[in-house]
Amino acid sequence: MGDFIAVHQTARPQGAPTPEEFAFVTGPVPSPAQGTALVENLCLSVDPYMRECMDGEWQLNSPLEGRSIGRVIASRDPRLAVGDLVFHRKGWRTHAVVGPDEARVLPRVDGVPTSTFLSLLGGTGLSAYVALTRVAKLQPAESVFISGAAGGVGTAAGQLARILGAERVIGSTGSAAKVKHLTENLGFDAAFDYHEGHVAELLARAAPDGVDVCLENVGGEHLEAAISGVRPHGRIVWCGAVSTYNDLGHPPAAPRNLYDVVGKSIRLEGFLVREYGHLQAELEALLIPHIQSGSVVVDQTVVAGFDRVVDAFIGMLGGRNTGKMIVQITEE
Ligand code: NAP
């Protein structure tokens, strides 16, 4: 079974987080109380929102939370059987004790890696699905701009936009290699590296006539570009602002064109995926056949080893992932 190891946050970061703000804490493997089960974690999700949690929501020197998939290895509840694969939220640790109301027993689906329930079929894919179908209400033959396009939400959104019949899908990302990946492997019609100029100008070059929908994951200059690049009466779904999370105490200079939302009659709307859990079955019904046939790519960067969870988190914030960043602790 091995030792129990959990990661704690030990200090609040100033700017970008560093490994010094985390500690690996070892202890005895916990025993499940009546009505709970002991889970050995197999893979963990590291996500941008965790950077926001580091500023105050996460208690220092305490276990952290995060989406995880594990295998039940001991159980004192009939609803969680030894051998079940479960999704739960007690991540950043090798083992977790969960009750049946805290864990979802995952189906084993042919041709679908279990870690997909942390990426395309997890909150990441669901965010992209909600953004396009419920907030933007994307229509066939519309054009879409996706920022943060090579990340977890972005790669899911680009592929979903194609399934939903988008006429043109454009992405922004952080390197030439990622641009190539988007256009050659993931069906984007065009992509650009946002380091190569003003984002609004780069978007205008890729979409001279504007776009109908923007899925905005980055904030700051990217939100400004979305406002300038969306057509009159277009929709901007504000999903996140990853460029600002290291400096949330200081509002970003951009967007400087917020009032164009009025002049162009744009709809700018945010959402939180946690309010859309009821769409999980709908997402799975849509995507599983595409994953099985290979028409949708499960795009993940997998970092092996629990000892690398902090590196994976910091690396994801720095753009070292394409697709969803996952930490694989043990093979299934
Ligand atoms: P992700 O895109 O897989 O990973 C983060 C990415 O952000 C990095 O790979 C990096 O890619 C990019 N990035 C980092 N700093 C940047 C900067 N200064 N400017 C531009 N890009 C930068 O993460 P994700 O999980 O898919 O999340 C994407 C966004 O969706 C985040 O803003 C997140 O908070 C948001 N989100 C919101 C909800 C919701 O309920 N509203 C749910 C899930 C996620 P590059 O190489 O391109 O720089």
Side-chain angles (χ1 to χ4, degrees):
M1 190 186 291
D3 288 334
F4 170 75
I5 314 170
V7 175
H8 293 186
Q9 185 187 342
T10 55
R12 303 287 176 210
Q14 303 296 319
T18 68
E20 285 66 44
E21 285 127 22
F22 296 92
F24 286 79
V25 179
T26 307
V29 175
S31 302
Q34 189 61 38
T36 67
L38 175 64
V39 172
E40 179 184 27
N41 282 336
L42 304 175
C43 47
L44 309 175
S45 176
V46 285
D47 297 85
Y49 79 86
M50 294 169 171
R51 172 63 190 85
E52 298 176 77
C53 297
M54 290 186 77
D55 284 340
E57 195 173 313
W58 280 353
Q59 299 293 307
L60 297 183
N61 305 306
S62 300
L64 306 180
E65 63 78 41
R67 289 176 288 132
S68 317
I69 292 173
R71 188 197 303 108
V72 174
I73 56 172
S75 180
R76 298 185 65 196
D77 188 286
R79 289 164 289 180
L80 296 170
V82 171
D84 279 349
L85 290 177
V86 292
F87 168 91
H88 65 91
R89 293 179 184 278
K90 294 184 176 174
W92 295 86
R93 64 195 92 176
T94 55
H95 302 77
V97 172
V98 296
D101 52 342
E102 300 173 303
R104 174 189 173 206
V105 178
L106 292 174
R108 287 178 162 88
V109 186
D110 284 345
V112 178
T114 302
S115 60
T116 313
F117 286 92
L118 294 180
S119 58
L120 271 178
L121 300 179
T124 300
L126 190 61
S127 298
Y129 185 67
V130 166
L132 294 177
T133 64
R134 296 314 198 271
V135 188
K137 299 186 174 70
L138 180 71
Q139 301 300 309
E142 287 192 318
S143 52
V144 189
F145 168 59
I146 299 166
S147 60
V153 172
T155 53
Q159 298 189 86
L160 279 165
R162 277 268 97 88
I163 294 172
L164 296 168
E167 175 253 336
R168 191 166 156 76
V169 183
I170 298 162
S172 72
T173 187
S175 73
K178 289 185 179 183
V179 166
K180 197 162 180 274
H181 180 57
L182 292 174
T183 53
E184 292 188 358
N185 305 327
L186 296 178
F188 281 70
D189 297 291
F192 59 82
D193 177 352
Y194 61 79
H195 297 103
E196 289 190 342
H198 291 292
V199 186
E201 287 170 17
L202 295 167
L203 175 57
R205 212 176 295 159
D209 299 328
V211 292
D212 299 298
V213 167
C214 294
L215 200 181
E216 222 297 82
N217 288 312
V218 176
E221 300 286 340
H222 272 84
L223 181 56
E224 185 168 300
I227 293 169
S228 71
V230 77
R231 292 178 185 142
H233 298 278
R235 294 91 78 201
I236 300 172
V237 187
W238 197 358
C239 179
V242 68
S243 69
T244 70
Y245 294 167
N246 283 329
D247 202 17
L248 279 176
H250 302 92
R256 289 157 288 216
N257 56 351
L258 189 58
Y259 193 61
D260 288 353
V261 168
V262 175
K264 293 172 76 177
S265 300
I266 295 166
R267 182 157 60 82
L268 168 61
E269 185 174 338
F271 74 100
L272 285 175
V273 69
R274 66 172 179 238
E275 294 176 9
Y276 291 87
H278 57 283
L279 297 183
Q280 178 68 28
E282 189 178 308
L283 176 75
E284 291 178 16
L286 175 70
L287 278 184
I288 285 175
H290 284 284
I291 295 169
Q292 289 171 320
S293 73
S295 59
V296 163
V297 176
V298 179
D299 197 12
Q300 300 179 159
T301 296
V302 179
V303 170
F306 183 76
D307 55 339
R308 295 188 57 207
V309 60
V310 173
D311 295 343
F313 170 62
I314 293 173
M316 176 275 302
L317 291 173
R320 291 212 304 268
N321 57 312
T322 49
K324 178 78 186 89
M325 185 67 112
I326 303 271
V327 179
Q328 187 84 41
I329 306 177
T330 323
E331 290 302 322
E332 211 176 289

